[in-house]
Amino acid sequence: LGAGQYVVTLPEKVGGNVTIKGGAGGLVLKIPEGLAARVSIERGIAPISMSDRFEKKGGAYVTHDWETNTNRVEIEINLGVGGITVQEP
């Protein structure tokens, strides 16, 4: 990602790993309700707004069903400047 506002919507079944890297700009990441996720964020000046589905565990945000749901994805976000919002579509 370069500069600007980006919206990324994940499909209901994705699995595996997703990496999102950017410099300046905002990111809205939409994760469907049935998809478990673990989100790791490396950031400079970037406020974070997480859906209520997530709780902070160690250095990551994890959905409540992360351990039990086989439909899951590991997400790594690296953003320099800009806001990060994780929500449902």
Side-chain angles (χ1 to χ4, degrees):
L1 306 175
Q5 177 78 13
Y6 291 90
V7 178
V8 177
T9 303
L10 296 180
E12 291 196 22
K13 295 199 180 271
V14 65
N17 300 314
V18 173
T19 301
I20 301 170
K21 295 183 180 184
L27 170 66
V28 176
L29 178 61
K30 297 183 178 187
I31 302 174
E33 188 74 32
L35 180 62
R38 181 178 187 275
V39 181
S40 302
I41 299 174
E42 300 252 346
R43 63 191 168 100
I45 304 169
I48 299 171
S49 174
M50 297 296 290
S51 161
D52 291 340
R53 290 179 53 212
F54 290 83
E55 61 182 322
K56 181 93 174 188
K57 283 192 175 179
Y61 295 89
V62 182
T63 55
H64 302 290
D65 61 345
W66 174 253
E67 296 292 329
T68 58
N69 191 341
T70 57
N71 182 31
R72 60 187 188 177
V73 62
E74 182 119 14
I75 302 164
E76 180 182 329
I77 299 172
N78 189 323
L79 188 64
V81 178
I84 298 168
T85 301
V86 177
Q87 63 188 35
E88 286 75 35

